[in-house]
């Protein structure tokens, strides 16, 4: 594994570029995993083999498979590929490193902080839903970031994990009790196939803002599984930003495990051409007095298609849970389409649970109002789309993570077809 | 010689199968203020939206000549660039777009290719207009009409007018729903817009505003037709009598 260090900016260090040169096995099987993971600790290889078994046990999805029916698989090759060389970097400020923050490639963390990594990987799995591609990612990951923010530490700068190439990215963030952090995981891969797995563990009374940013290449099929475990009194704010890929299918699971745990779950999708986005979210209320607030918005141009399925689970003991879920879709072209479906599984009786979904074109009066001020259709719709997304970005509440995103969706608008 | 800015000729307008404007003739000259009054539902807002080019309304007959050329085929954004402005009776909210950002885009739309508007110049332009209308600068950071009170919306319409300096301003009930002080401020805004270069069509229900902004002419619209015209004294008369005498008079014709 080659490694190079370069400094991104003066206040940054530990910006590492990793590329893994693999001796490629011929096909994805148990022997391939042995070959890929030679030299890793036994506990990790056990996890990988277990996951690979789950991957093999689940059949290849077709457009008749539950959870896949609304997608057009004819336009996307979802057959997994062998791991390809990766390129990624993790950056953390010197000041934060001095406070004991660990933010580095997992491979490095395995060498220097094995007990921490082991605990995180074992702990992260419980409660996580099994999916074919996330199981595969868990089995064969070759690169990714490990982040550990110790108890009570407040990050002064966000941590950025940026992936530019590779097939099975892995991401693990552990936020200690009473710690405060902001982390962005961004993806810019452009190969044919990517399946990533992200685990997030937020300790008691901690606060984490986490952005998962997907700006992969236009030909790339991207799977992402994110699973977060939130302890009592802690708060997680997540943003899923989706703009790239030909087909992107994401599972975003948040489990509120301790009393008073909270999560704001935000999503922002800008799709055009023939892009397909599928988001499945879980708001898992597993303790009393927990609160979740979800807002997923997509703007769809061309003949893009978005599918949203949002599950709210409130367990029997999770009294006084408060769950909110909203999915809003703005159709910018006649050919664009959005499917949205809430699912509620509520076993407690003293709860508040609200959900709502909308699908519709830009409001004609709104468009006319902007036109009456001299703006042409392109400028007017761009402004309306920016405005449509603004409340999502506002709710993230951390401009350091969202400012770079604002520019990325603005110039993409297509002419009305 | 009167320099006619707007000439509406035998205009008929339908929405669906419903004819709402049923033959309007109206000329507005540069430097003048015309008041348009009339009962609820008589078609005042329809006329204003048709002037601006709302796609929902179909002009089935007649013409609208603005500065010498028909604008029926002109899209709304071009009408705006050509100097027509409508202060909406019910302006739309644009959530997520700040007033500042919105105004920057309206100005950029009309300065395409010109030297770019510097941030400093933009700011002073906006701040000046806001000061004239007693608008708290904080409002410029809020989202356009999103959660605005009725009066705040009217002020924002006026702010846009003062910044854009349109040749023809159509103000659709900009004086409605205002408290006494706000009414005076809005009236000052209209007076500031009044100039030998500009023309104003003031749609109103109240003679009150006309105490501040003296119109050159008053037109009364009933059921899609202008049924009476006169000077400022007509507004006073209507204030006293209401529309009933006019409507009765029409019925007997
Ligand atoms: N989109 C529409 N669909 C159906 N009818 C409409 C529509 N817009 C206007 N109308 C009808 O056209 C008529 C004129 O409406 P308009 O809004 O122009 O009246 P107005 O004179 O501005 O009234 P007001 O003083 O109450 O503002 C009304 O009967 C109204 O119901
Ligand atoms: Mg009206």
């Amino acid at each position: 594994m080659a490694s190079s260090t370069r400094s991104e900016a003066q206040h940054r260090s530990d910006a590492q570029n990793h590329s893994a040169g693999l001796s490629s096995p011929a096909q994805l099987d148990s022997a391939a995993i042995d070959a890929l993971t030679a030299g890793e600790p036994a506990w990790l290889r056990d996890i990988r083999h277990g996951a690979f078994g789950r991957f093999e046990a689940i059949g290849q999805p077709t457009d008749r498979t539950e959870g896949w029916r609304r997608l057009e698989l004819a336009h996307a090759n979802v057959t997994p590929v062998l791991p390809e060389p990766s390129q990624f970097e993790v950056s953390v400020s010197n000041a934060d490193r001095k406070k004991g923050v660990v933010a580095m490639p997992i491979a490095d963390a395995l060498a220097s902080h094995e007990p921490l990594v082991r605990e995180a990987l074992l702990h992260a799995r419980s409660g996580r839903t099994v999916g074919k591609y996330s199981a595969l990612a868990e089995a064969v990951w070759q690169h990714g970031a490990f982040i550990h923010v110790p108890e009570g530490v407040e990050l002064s700068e966000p941590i950025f994990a940026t992936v530019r190439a590779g097939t099975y990215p892995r991401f693990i963030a552990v936020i200690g009790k009473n710690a405060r952090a902001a982390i962005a995981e961004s993806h810019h891969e452009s190969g044919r196939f990517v399946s990533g797995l992200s685990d997030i563990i937020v300790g008691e009374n901690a606060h984490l803002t986490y952005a998962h940013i997907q700006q992969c290449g236009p030909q790339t099929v991207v799977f992402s599984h994110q699973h977060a475990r939130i302890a009592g009194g802690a708060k997680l704010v997540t943003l899923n930003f989706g703009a790239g890929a030909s087909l992107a299918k994401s599972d975003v699971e948040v489990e509120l495990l301790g009393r008073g745990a909270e999560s704001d779950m935000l999503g922002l999708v800008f799709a055009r051409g023939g892009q397909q986005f599928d988001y499945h979210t879980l708001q898992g209320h597993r303790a009393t007095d927990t609160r979740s607030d979800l807002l997923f918005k997509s703007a769809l141009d061309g003949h893009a298609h978005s599918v949203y399925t949002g599950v709210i689970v409130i367990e029997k003991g999770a009294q006084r849970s408060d769950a909110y879920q909203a999915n809003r879709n703005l159709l910018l072209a006649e050919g664009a389409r959005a499917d949205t479906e809430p699912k509620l599984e509520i076993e407690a009786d003293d709860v508040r649970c609200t959900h709502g979904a909308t699908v519709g074109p830009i409001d004609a009066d709104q468009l006319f109002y902007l036109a009456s001020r001299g703006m042409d259709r392109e400028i007017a719709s761009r402004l309306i789309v920016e405005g449509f997304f603004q409340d999502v970005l506002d709710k993230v509440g951390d401009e350091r993570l969202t400012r770079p995103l604002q520019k990325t969706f603005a110039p993409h608008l297509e002419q009305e077809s | 010689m009167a320099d006619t800015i707007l000439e509406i000729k035998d205009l008929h307008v339908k929405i669906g199968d419903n004819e709402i404007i049923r033959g309007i003739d109206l000329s507005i000259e540069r430097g003048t203020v015309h008041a348009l009054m009339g009962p609820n539902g008589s078609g005042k807002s329809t006329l204003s939206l048709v002037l601006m080019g709302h796609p929902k309304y179909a002009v089935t007959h007649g013409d609208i000549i603005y500065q010498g050329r028909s604008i029926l085929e002109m899209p709304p954004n071009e009408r705006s660039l050509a100097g027509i402005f409508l202060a909406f009776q019910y302006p739309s909210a644009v959530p997520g777009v700040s007033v500042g950002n919105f105004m920057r885009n309206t100005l950029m739309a009309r300065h395409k290719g010109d030297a770019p508007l510097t941030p400093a110049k933009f700011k002073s332009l906006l701040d000046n207009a806001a000061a004239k209308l007693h608008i708290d600068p904080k409002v410029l950071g809020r989202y356009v009409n999103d959660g605005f009170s009725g009066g705040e919306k009217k002020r924002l319409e006026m702010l846009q007018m003062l910044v854009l300096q349109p040749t023809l301003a159509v103000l659709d009930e900009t004086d409605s729903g205002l408290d006494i002080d706000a009414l005076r401020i809005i009236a000052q805004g209209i007076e500031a817009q009044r100039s030998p270069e500009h023309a104003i069509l003031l749609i109103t229900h109240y003679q009150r505003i006309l105490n501040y902004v003296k119109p050159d002419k008053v037109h009364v619209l009933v059921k899609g037709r202008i049924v009476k015209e006169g000077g400022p004294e007509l507004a006073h008369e209507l204030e006293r009598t209401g529309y009933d005498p006019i409507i009765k008079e029409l019925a007997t014709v």
Side-chain angles (χ1 to χ4, degrees), chain B residues 45 89 172-173:
Chain B
S45 293
Q89 183 176 6
D172 190 359
E173 294 199 31

Side-chain angles (χ1 to χ4, degrees), chain A residues 229-299:
Chain A
R229 297 175 59 80
I230 309 177
K235 179 168 181 181
L236 170 68
V237 179
T238 60
L239 169 68
N240 265 269
F241 178 88
S246 62
L247 181 149
K249 189 164 174 23
S250 309
D251 281 273
V252 183
E253 299 177 332
V254 170
E255 295 191 84
L256 303 161
L257 299 165
R259 178 165 183 196
E262 294 182 66
S263 185
D264 289 344
M265 298 167 68
L266 303 157
L268 192 165
V269 172
F270 188 86
R272 57 216 145 90
Q275 281 183 303
Q276 301 185 69
F277 280 85
D278 181 321
Y279 279 91
H280 179 268
T281 62
L282 170 74
Q283 294 158 264
H285 291 253
R286 317 226 186 266
T288 56
D289 302 290
T290 48
R291 190 188 67 83
S292 69
D293 185 353
L294 179 145
L295 175 62
F296 266 61
K297 283 191 163 182
S298 61

Side-chain angles (χ1 to χ4, degrees), chain B residues 15 18 20-21 38-47 49 56-57 89-90 172-173 203 205 221:
Chain B
I15 181 153
N18 223 346
I20 294 165
I21 303 292
N40 293 134
S42 57
K44 303 180 296 298
S45 293
T46 302
L47 178 65
L49 291 165
K56 187 161 73 174
Y57 301 95
Q89 183 176 6
Y90 305 111
D172 190 359
E173 294 199 31
I203 298 174
H205 283 297
L221 188 68

Side-chain angles (χ1 to χ4, degrees), chain A residues 363-377 379 382-384 386-388 390-391 394, chain B residues 49 52-54 76-77 80 85-86 88 92-97 105-106 109-110 112 143 145 157 160:
Chain A
D363 177 58
D365 284 326
Q366 203 179 44
L367 207 53
F368 178 67
Y369 187 62
L370 273 66
S372 80
R373 300 309 186 233
M375 292 178 234
D376 62 28
R377 206 191 147 88
I379 296 176
R382 195 200 67 213
L383 209 56
I384 290 171
E386 281 177 19
F388 174 70
Q390 190 59 48
D391 61 342
D394 287 348
Chain B
L49 291 165
M52 201 71 244
H54 199 299
N77 62 310
S80 166
F85 177 85
L86 169 61
F88 287 72
S92 290
V94 193
V97 178
N105 277 280
T106 55
R110 59 204 72 218
K112 270 184 193 159
Y143 298 147
N145 291 321
E157 294 297 282
Q160 297 179 49

Side-chain angles (χ1 to χ4, degrees), chain B residues 5 31 52 63 83-84 107 140 165 185 193 213 239:
Chain B
I5 281 189
M52 201 71 244
D63 207 348
I84 304 178
L107 286 169
L140 307 179
Q165 291 286 299
I185 290 162
Q193 165 69 13
V213 183
E239 184 93 341

